[in-house]
PDB file of all heavy atoms in Angstrom:
ATOM      1  N   PHE A   1     -46.748  -1.742  -7.709  1.00  0.00           N
ATOM      2  CA  PHE A   1     -46.377  -3.051  -8.183  1.00  0.00           C
ATOM      3  C   PHE A   1     -46.351  -4.057  -7.045  1.00  0.00           C
ATOM      4  O   PHE A   1     -45.819  -3.797  -5.991  1.00  0.00           O
ATOM      5  CB  PHE A   1     -44.992  -2.994  -8.854  1.00  0.00           C
ATOM      6  CG  PHE A   1     -44.597  -4.300  -9.427  1.00  0.00           C
ATOM      7  CD1 PHE A   1     -45.193  -4.799 -10.569  1.00  0.00           C
ATOM      8  CD2 PHE A   1     -43.598  -5.056  -8.838  1.00  0.00           C
ATOM      9  CE1 PHE A   1     -44.809  -6.001 -11.118  1.00  0.00           C
ATOM     10  CE2 PHE A   1     -43.204  -6.269  -9.366  1.00  0.00           C
ATOM     11  CZ  PHE A   1     -43.819  -6.750 -10.510  1.00  0.00           C
ATOM     12  N   GLY A   2     -46.926  -5.201  -7.286  1.00  0.00           N
ATOM     13  CA  GLY A   2     -46.941  -6.247  -6.268  1.00  0.00           C
ATOM     14  C   GLY A   2     -48.258  -6.274  -5.530  1.00  0.00           C
ATOM     15  O   GLY A   2     -48.580  -7.247  -4.871  1.00  0.00           O
ATOM     16  N   LYS A   3     -49.040  -5.199  -5.594  1.00  0.00           N
ATOM     17  CA  LYS A   3     -50.332  -5.173  -4.929  1.00  0.00           C
ATOM     18  C   LYS A   3     -51.349  -5.855  -5.861  1.00  0.00           C
ATOM     19  O   LYS A   3     -51.392  -5.580  -7.039  1.00  0.00           O
ATOM     20  CB  LYS A   3     -50.774  -3.743  -4.641  1.00  0.00           C
ATOM     21  CG  LYS A   3     -49.912  -3.072  -3.596  1.00  0.00           C
ATOM     22  CD  LYS A   3     -50.460  -1.729  -3.246  1.00  0.00           C
ATOM     23  CE  LYS A   3     -49.601  -1.054  -2.207  1.00  0.00           C
ATOM     24  NZ  LYS A   3     -50.030   0.313  -1.899  1.00  0.00           N
ATOM     25  N   GLU A   4     -52.141  -6.732  -5.294  1.00  0.00           N
ATOM     26  CA  GLU A   4     -53.125  -7.437  -6.111  1.00  0.00           C
ATOM     27  C   GLU A   4     -54.362  -6.563  -6.298  1.00  0.00           C
ATOM     28  O   GLU A   4     -54.814  -5.897  -5.374  1.00  0.00           O
ATOM     29  CB  GLU A   4     -53.529  -8.739  -5.412  1.00  0.00           C
ATOM     30  CG  GLU A   4     -52.386  -9.743  -5.364  1.00  0.00           C
ATOM     31  CD  GLU A   4     -52.821 -11.076  -4.792  1.00  0.00           C
ATOM     32  OE1 GLU A   4     -54.046 -11.297  -4.744  1.00  0.00           O
ATOM     33  OE2 GLU A   4     -51.974 -11.834  -4.431  1.00  0.00           O
ATOM     34  N   THR A   5     -54.881  -6.627  -7.526  1.00  0.00           N
ATOM     35  CA  THR A   5     -56.127  -5.934  -7.812  1.00  0.00           C
ATOM     36  C   THR A   5     -57.252  -6.861  -7.435  1.00  0.00           C
ATOM     37  O   THR A   5     -57.136  -8.093  -7.638  1.00  0.00           O
ATOM     38  CB  THR A   5     -56.206  -5.535  -9.295  1.00  0.00           C
ATOM     39  OG1 THR A   5     -55.998  -6.704 -10.069  1.00  0.00           O
ATOM     40  CG2 THR A   5     -55.174  -4.499  -9.645  1.00  0.00           C
ATOM     41  N   PRO A   6     -58.348  -6.339  -6.910  1.00  0.00           N
ATOM     42  CA  PRO A   6     -59.476  -7.224  -6.531  1.00  0.00           C
ATOM     43  C   PRO A   6     -60.062  -7.953  -7.739  1.00  0.00           C
ATOM     44  O   PRO A   6     -60.179  -7.356  -8.816  1.00  0.00           O
ATOM     45  CB  PRO A   6     -60.488  -6.247  -5.909  1.00  0.00           C
ATOM     46  CG  PRO A   6     -60.079  -4.903  -6.322  1.00  0.00           C
ATOM     47  CD  PRO A   6     -58.641  -4.932  -6.678  1.00  0.00           C
ATOM     48  N   VAL A   7     -60.388  -9.211  -7.573  1.00  0.00           N
ATOM     49  CA  VAL A   7     -60.939 -10.043  -8.645  1.00  0.00           C
ATOM     50  C   VAL A   7     -62.376 -10.345  -8.311  1.00  0.00           C
ATOM     51  O   VAL A   7     -62.715 -10.770  -7.209  1.00  0.00           O
ATOM     52  CB  VAL A   7     -60.145 -11.351  -8.788  1.00  0.00           C
ATOM     53  CG1 VAL A   7     -60.731 -12.234  -9.839  1.00  0.00           C
ATOM     54  CG2 VAL A   7     -58.688 -11.068  -9.077  1.00  0.00           C
ATOM     55  N   THR A   8     -63.263 -10.127  -9.302  1.00  0.00           N
ATOM     56  CA  THR A   8     -64.652 -10.444  -9.112  1.00  0.00           C
ATOM     57  C   THR A   8     -64.872 -11.926  -9.346  1.00  0.00           C
ATOM     58  O   THR A   8     -64.502 -12.448 -10.425  1.00  0.00           O
ATOM     59  CB  THR A   8     -65.546  -9.660 -10.148  1.00  0.00           C
ATOM     60  OG1 THR A   8     -65.178  -8.287 -10.041  1.00  0.00           O
ATOM     61  CG2 THR A   8     -67.003  -9.856  -9.878  1.00  0.00           C
ATOM     62  N   PRO A   9     -65.427 -12.676  -8.381  1.00  0.00           N
ATOM     63  CA  PRO A   9     -65.560 -14.118  -8.560  1.00  0.00           C
ATOM     64  C   PRO A   9     -66.589 -14.426  -9.655  1.00  0.00           C
ATOM     65  O   PRO A   9     -67.526 -13.651  -9.854  1.00  0.00           O
ATOM     66  CB  PRO A   9     -66.053 -14.612  -7.190  1.00  0.00           C
ATOM     67  CG  PRO A   9     -66.580 -13.405  -6.508  1.00  0.00           C
ATOM     68  CD  PRO A   9     -65.896 -12.211  -7.088  1.00  0.00           C
ATOM     69  N   LEU A  10     -66.401 -15.555 -10.322  1.00  0.00           N
ATOM     70  CA  LEU A  10     -67.354 -15.985 -11.355  1.00  0.00           C
ATOM     71  C   LEU A  10     -68.621 -16.480 -10.709  1.00  0.00           C
ATOM     72  O   LEU A  10     -68.608 -16.991  -9.584  1.00  0.00           O
ATOM     73  CB  LEU A  10     -66.764 -17.102 -12.190  1.00  0.00           C
ATOM     74  CG  LEU A  10     -65.589 -16.752 -13.087  1.00  0.00           C
ATOM     75  CD1 LEU A  10     -64.958 -18.015 -13.673  1.00  0.00           C
ATOM     76  CD2 LEU A  10     -66.016 -15.837 -14.204  1.00  0.00           C
ATOM     77  N   PRO A  11     -69.752 -16.385 -11.435  1.00  0.00           N
ATOM     78  CA  PRO A  11     -70.989 -16.961 -10.892  1.00  0.00           C
ATOM     79  C   PRO A  11     -70.843 -18.478 -10.718  1.00  0.00           C
ATOM     80  O   PRO A  11     -70.050 -19.100 -11.436  1.00  0.00           O
ATOM     81  CB  PRO A  11     -72.050 -16.645 -11.954  1.00  0.00           C
ATOM     82  CG  PRO A  11     -71.381 -15.950 -13.059  1.00  0.00           C
ATOM     83  CD  PRO A  11     -69.948 -15.722 -12.696  1.00  0.00           C
ATOM     84  N   PRO A  12     -71.606 -19.105  -9.788  1.00  0.00           N
ATOM     85  CA  PRO A  12     -71.451 -20.541  -9.514  1.00  0.00           C
ATOM     86  C   PRO A  12     -71.599 -21.441 -10.726  1.00  0.00           C
ATOM     87  O   PRO A  12     -70.932 -22.479 -10.802  1.00  0.00           O
ATOM     88  CB  PRO A  12     -72.560 -20.816  -8.480  1.00  0.00           C
ATOM     89  CG  PRO A  12     -72.853 -19.474  -7.896  1.00  0.00           C
ATOM     90  CD  PRO A  12     -72.570 -18.471  -8.917  1.00  0.00           C
ATOM     91  N   ASP A  13     -72.452 -21.094 -11.688  1.00  0.00           N
ATOM     92  CA  ASP A  13     -72.625 -21.977 -12.838  1.00  0.00           C
ATOM     93  C   ASP A  13     -71.382 -21.980 -13.745  1.00  0.00           C
ATOM     94  O   ASP A  13     -71.162 -22.899 -14.511  1.00  0.00           O
ATOM     95  CB  ASP A  13     -73.870 -21.587 -13.646  1.00  0.00           C
ATOM     96  CG  ASP A  13     -73.775 -20.180 -14.213  1.00  0.00           C
ATOM     97  OD1 ASP A  13     -73.151 -19.322 -13.615  1.00  0.00           O
ATOM     98  OD2 ASP A  13     -74.331 -19.986 -15.344  1.00  0.00           O
ATOM     99  N   GLN A  14     -70.572 -20.913 -13.676  1.00  0.00           N
ATOM    100  CA  GLN A  14     -69.363 -20.870 -14.483  1.00  0.00           C
ATOM    101  C   GLN A  14     -68.104 -21.324 -13.690  1.00  0.00           C
ATOM    102  O   GLN A  14     -67.057 -21.546 -14.250  1.00  0.00           O
ATOM    103  CB  GLN A  14     -69.124 -19.432 -15.014  1.00  0.00           C
ATOM    104  CG  GLN A  14     -70.139 -18.993 -15.984  1.00  0.00           C
ATOM    105  CD  GLN A  14     -69.887 -17.577 -16.475  1.00  0.00           C
ATOM    106  OE1 GLN A  14     -68.761 -17.096 -16.393  1.00  0.00           O
ATOM    107  NE2 GLN A  14     -70.906 -16.926 -16.935  1.00  0.00           N
ATOM    108  N   ASN A  15     -68.236 -21.393 -12.372  1.00  0.00           N
ATOM    109  CA  ASN A  15     -67.105 -21.811 -11.535  1.00  0.00           C
ATOM    110  C   ASN A  15     -67.620 -22.797 -10.492  1.00  0.00           C
ATOM    111  O   ASN A  15     -67.721 -22.461  -9.321  1.00  0.00           O
ATOM    112  CB  ASN A  15     -66.516 -20.532 -10.890  1.00  0.00           C
ATOM    113  CG  ASN A  15     -65.211 -20.846 -10.170  1.00  0.00           C
ATOM    114  OD1 ASN A  15     -64.615 -21.877 -10.409  1.00  0.00           O
ATOM    115  ND2 ASN A  15     -64.827 -19.975  -9.279  1.00  0.00           N
ATOM    116  N   PRO A  16     -67.938 -24.040 -10.922  1.00  0.00           N
ATOM    117  CA  PRO A  16     -68.487 -24.981  -9.983  1.00  0.00           C
ATOM    118  C   PRO A  16     -67.471 -25.411  -8.946  1.00  0.00           C
ATOM    119  O   PRO A  16     -66.273 -25.476  -9.236  1.00  0.00           O
ATOM    120  CB  PRO A  16     -68.894 -26.174 -10.887  1.00  0.00           C
ATOM    121  CG  PRO A  16     -67.981 -26.046 -12.050  1.00  0.00           C
ATOM    122  CD  PRO A  16     -67.717 -24.592 -12.229  1.00  0.00           C
ATOM    123  N   THR A  17     -67.963 -25.664  -7.728  1.00  0.00           N
ATOM    124  CA  THR A  17     -67.042 -26.164  -6.701  1.00  0.00           C
ATOM    125  C   THR A  17     -66.827 -27.647  -6.896  1.00  0.00           C
ATOM    126  O   THR A  17     -67.726 -28.389  -7.173  1.00  0.00           O
ATOM    127  CB  THR A  17     -67.643 -25.898  -5.266  1.00  0.00           C
ATOM    128  OG1 THR A  17     -69.028 -26.253  -5.309  1.00  0.00           O
ATOM    129  CG2 THR A  17     -67.495 -24.484  -4.882  1.00  0.00           C
ATOM    130  N   VAL A  18     -65.606 -28.063  -6.697  1.00  0.00           N
ATOM    131  CA  VAL A  18     -65.236 -29.470  -6.865  1.00  0.00           C
ATOM    132  C   VAL A  18     -64.677 -29.973  -5.551  1.00  0.00           C
ATOM    133  O   VAL A  18     -63.752 -29.350  -5.003  1.00  0.00           O
ATOM    134  CB  VAL A  18     -64.202 -29.641  -7.998  1.00  0.00           C
ATOM    135  CG1 VAL A  18     -63.847 -31.085  -8.157  1.00  0.00           C
ATOM    136  CG2 VAL A  18     -64.745 -29.091  -9.303  1.00  0.00           C
ATOM    137  N   ARG A  19     -65.258 -31.032  -5.039  1.00  0.00           N
ATOM    138  CA  ARG A  19     -64.755 -31.623  -3.809  1.00  0.00           C
ATOM    139  C   ARG A  19     -63.510 -32.441  -4.102  1.00  0.00           C
ATOM    140  O   ARG A  19     -63.358 -32.974  -5.211  1.00  0.00           O
ATOM    141  CB  ARG A  19     -65.842 -32.489  -3.178  1.00  0.00           C
ATOM    142  CG  ARG A  19     -67.048 -31.704  -2.695  1.00  0.00           C
ATOM    143  CD  ARG A  19     -68.060 -32.630  -2.030  1.00  0.00           C
ATOM    144  NE  ARG A  19     -69.300 -31.940  -1.822  1.00  0.00           N
ATOM    145  CZ  ARG A  19     -70.316 -31.906  -2.674  1.00  0.00           C
ATOM    146  NH1 ARG A  19     -70.209 -32.549  -3.840  1.00  0.00           N
ATOM    147  NH2 ARG A  19     -71.411 -31.232  -2.427  1.00  0.00           N
ATOM    148  N   PRO A  20     -62.616 -32.592  -3.128  1.00  0.00           N
ATOM    149  CA  PRO A  20     -61.422 -33.406  -3.371  1.00  0.00           C
ATOM    150  C   PRO A  20     -61.775 -34.823  -3.796  1.00  0.00           C
ATOM    151  O   PRO A  20     -62.688 -35.437  -3.251  1.00  0.00           O
ATOM    152  CB  PRO A  20     -60.732 -33.454  -2.002  1.00  0.00           C
ATOM    153  CG  PRO A  20     -61.229 -32.205  -1.290  1.00  0.00           C
ATOM    154  CD  PRO A  20     -62.631 -31.976  -1.816  1.00  0.00           C
ATOM    155  N   GLY A  21     -61.121 -35.296  -4.874  1.00  0.00           N
ATOM    156  CA  GLY A  21     -61.386 -36.644  -5.361  1.00  0.00           C
ATOM    157  C   GLY A  21     -62.399 -36.656  -6.511  1.00  0.00           C
ATOM    158  O   GLY A  21     -62.509 -37.641  -7.186  1.00  0.00           O
ATOM    159  N   GLU A  22     -63.107 -35.541  -6.729  1.00  0.00           N
ATOM    160  CA  GLU A  22     -64.104 -35.475  -7.828  1.00  0.00           C
ATOM    161  C   GLU A  22     -63.422 -35.002  -9.099  1.00  0.00           C
ATOM    162  O   GLU A  22     -62.426 -34.263  -9.068  1.00  0.00           O
ATOM    163  CB  GLU A  22     -65.212 -34.493  -7.477  1.00  0.00           C
ATOM    164  CG  GLU A  22     -66.260 -35.010  -6.535  1.00  0.00           C
ATOM    165  CD  GLU A  22     -67.389 -34.033  -6.349  1.00  0.00           C
ATOM    166  OE1 GLU A  22     -67.306 -32.878  -6.809  1.00  0.00           O
ATOM    167  OE2 GLU A  22     -68.392 -34.408  -5.722  1.00  0.00           O
ATOM    168  N   ASP A  23     -63.957 -35.416 -10.231  1.00  0.00           N
ATOM    169  CA  ASP A  23     -63.459 -34.915 -11.519  1.00  0.00           C
ATOM    170  C   ASP A  23     -64.009 -33.537 -11.764  1.00  0.00           C
ATOM    171  O   ASP A  23     -65.163 -33.217 -11.376  1.00  0.00           O
ATOM    172  CB  ASP A  23     -63.926 -35.834 -12.660  1.00  0.00           C
ATOM    173  CG  ASP A  23     -63.184 -37.178 -12.626  1.00  0.00           C
ATOM    174  OD1 ASP A  23     -62.039 -37.205 -12.109  1.00  0.00           O
ATOM    175  OD2 ASP A  23     -63.746 -38.159 -13.113  1.00  0.00           O
ATOM    176  N   ILE A  24     -63.242 -32.693 -12.454  1.00  0.00           N
ATOM    177  CA  ILE A  24     -63.718 -31.399 -12.850  1.00  0.00           C
ATOM    178  C   ILE A  24     -64.694 -31.592 -14.000  1.00  0.00           C
ATOM    179  O   ILE A  24     -64.367 -32.252 -14.988  1.00  0.00           O
ATOM    180  CB  ILE A  24     -62.552 -30.490 -13.299  1.00  0.00           C
ATOM    181  CG1 ILE A  24     -61.594 -30.281 -12.124  1.00  0.00           C
ATOM    182  CG2 ILE A  24     -63.020 -29.160 -13.849  1.00  0.00           C
ATOM    183  CD1 ILE A  24     -60.312 -29.598 -12.484  1.00  0.00           C
ATOM    184  N   PRO A  25     -65.905 -31.046 -13.892  1.00  0.00           N
ATOM    185  CA  PRO A  25     -66.890 -31.244 -14.963  1.00  0.00           C
ATOM    186  C   PRO A  25     -66.427 -30.632 -16.258  1.00  0.00           C
ATOM    187  O   PRO A  25     -65.867 -29.543 -16.277  1.00  0.00           O
ATOM    188  CB  PRO A  25     -68.169 -30.572 -14.427  1.00  0.00           C
ATOM    189  CG  PRO A  25     -67.719 -29.685 -13.337  1.00  0.00           C
ATOM    190  CD  PRO A  25     -66.408 -30.210 -12.839  1.00  0.00           C
ATOM    191  N   LEU A  26     -66.662 -31.335 -17.369  1.00  0.00           N
ATOM    192  CA  LEU A  26     -66.309 -30.812 -18.697  1.00  0.00           C
ATOM    193  C   LEU A  26     -67.635 -30.441 -19.395  1.00  0.00           C
ATOM    194  O   LEU A  26     -68.262 -31.261 -20.025  1.00  0.00           O
ATOM    195  CB  LEU A  26     -65.560 -31.893 -19.489  1.00  0.00           C
ATOM    196  CG  LEU A  26     -64.237 -32.320 -18.893  1.00  0.00           C
ATOM    197  CD1 LEU A  26     -63.674 -33.523 -19.668  1.00  0.00           C
ATOM    198  CD2 LEU A  26     -63.237 -31.184 -18.909  1.00  0.00           C
ATOM    199  N   LYS A  27     -67.990 -29.178 -19.259  1.00  0.00           N
ATOM    200  CA  LYS A  27     -69.259 -28.716 -19.840  1.00  0.00           C
ATOM    201  C   LYS A  27     -69.188 -28.779 -21.352  1.00  0.00           C
ATOM    202  O   LYS A  27     -68.281 -28.289 -21.972  1.00  0.00           O
ATOM    203  CB  LYS A  27     -69.521 -27.283 -19.396  1.00  0.00           C
ATOM    204  CG  LYS A  27     -70.866 -26.770 -19.764  1.00  0.00           C
ATOM    205  CD  LYS A  27     -71.074 -25.412 -19.164  1.00  0.00           C
ATOM    206  CE  LYS A  27     -72.480 -24.900 -19.497  1.00  0.00           C
ATOM    207  NZ  LYS A  27     -72.711 -23.560 -18.962  1.00  0.00           N
ATOM    208  N   GLY A  28     -70.150 -29.452 -21.981  1.00  0.00           N
ATOM    209  CA  GLY A  28     -70.239 -29.507 -23.429  1.00  0.00           C
ATOM    210  C   GLY A  28     -69.172 -30.411 -24.057  1.00  0.00           C
ATOM    211  O   GLY A  28     -68.961 -30.323 -25.252  1.00  0.00           O
ATOM    212  N   ARG A  29     -68.554 -31.285 -23.287  1.00  0.00           N
ATOM    213  CA  ARG A  29     -67.526 -32.161 -23.862  1.00  0.00           C
ATOM    214  C   ARG A  29     -67.877 -33.599 -23.561  1.00  0.00           C
ATOM    215  O   ARG A  29     -68.414 -33.915 -22.545  1.00  0.00           O
ATOM    216  CB  ARG A  29     -66.164 -31.815 -23.251  1.00  0.00           C
ATOM    217  CG  ARG A  29     -65.060 -32.633 -23.873  1.00  0.00           C
ATOM    218  CD  ARG A  29     -63.719 -32.159 -23.394  1.00  0.00           C
ATOM    219  NE  ARG A  29     -62.737 -33.091 -23.936  1.00  0.00           N
ATOM    220  CZ  ARG A  29     -61.450 -32.939 -23.751  1.00  0.00           C
ATOM    221  NH1 ARG A  29     -60.968 -31.914 -23.105  1.00  0.00           N
ATOM    222  NH2 ARG A  29     -60.588 -33.815 -24.281  1.00  0.00           N
ATOM    223  N   PHE A  30     -67.561 -34.489 -24.527  1.00  0.00           N
ATOM    224  CA  PHE A  30     -67.798 -35.918 -24.344  1.00  0.00           C
ATOM    225  C   PHE A  30     -66.859 -36.425 -23.255  1.00  0.00           C
ATOM    226  O   PHE A  30     -65.739 -36.024 -23.130  1.00  0.00           O
ATOM    227  CB  PHE A  30     -67.508 -36.669 -25.634  1.00  0.00           C
ATOM    228  CG  PHE A  30     -68.583 -36.507 -26.677  1.00  0.00           C
ATOM    229  CD1 PHE A  30     -68.630 -35.393 -27.443  1.00  0.00           C
ATOM    230  CD2 PHE A  30     -69.528 -37.503 -26.879  1.00  0.00           C
ATOM    231  CE1 PHE A  30     -69.605 -35.260 -28.413  1.00  0.00           C
ATOM    232  CE2 PHE A  30     -70.502 -37.383 -27.828  1.00  0.00           C
ATOM    233  CZ  PHE A  30     -70.551 -36.248 -28.617  1.00  0.00           C
ATOM    234  N   ASN A  31     -67.389 -37.317 -22.432  1.00  0.00           N
ATOM    235  CA  ASN A  31     -66.574 -37.978 -21.403  1.00  0.00           C
ATOM    236  C   ASN A  31     -66.300 -39.389 -21.894  1.00  0.00           C
ATOM    237  O   ASN A  31     -67.196 -40.206 -22.020  1.00  0.00           O
ATOM    238  CB  ASN A  31     -67.326 -37.992 -20.061  1.00  0.00           C
ATOM    239  CG  ASN A  31     -66.493 -38.598 -18.959  1.00  0.00           C
ATOM    240  OD1 ASN A  31     -65.444 -39.161 -19.193  1.00  0.00           O
ATOM    241  ND2 ASN A  31     -66.966 -38.463 -17.723  1.00  0.00           N
TER     242      ASN A  31
END
């Protein structure tokens, strides 16, 4: 208990990087 299990990172298209000050993209949603 308390030990973290390794997490597989999402592919880049599902987990886009966001720079500070940028909006998080809303895929498939009206802006």
Side-chain angles (χ1 to χ4, degrees):
F1 182 72
K3 293 185 180 176
E4 292 185 17
T5 53
V7 178
T8 308
L10 291 171
D13 63 327
Q14 293 180 22
N15 189 18
T17 44
V18 179
R19 293 182 191 91
E22 283 185 350
D23 289 332
I24 298 171
L26 298 172
K27 188 174 182 181
R29 183 172 175 177
F30 284 80
N31 183 349

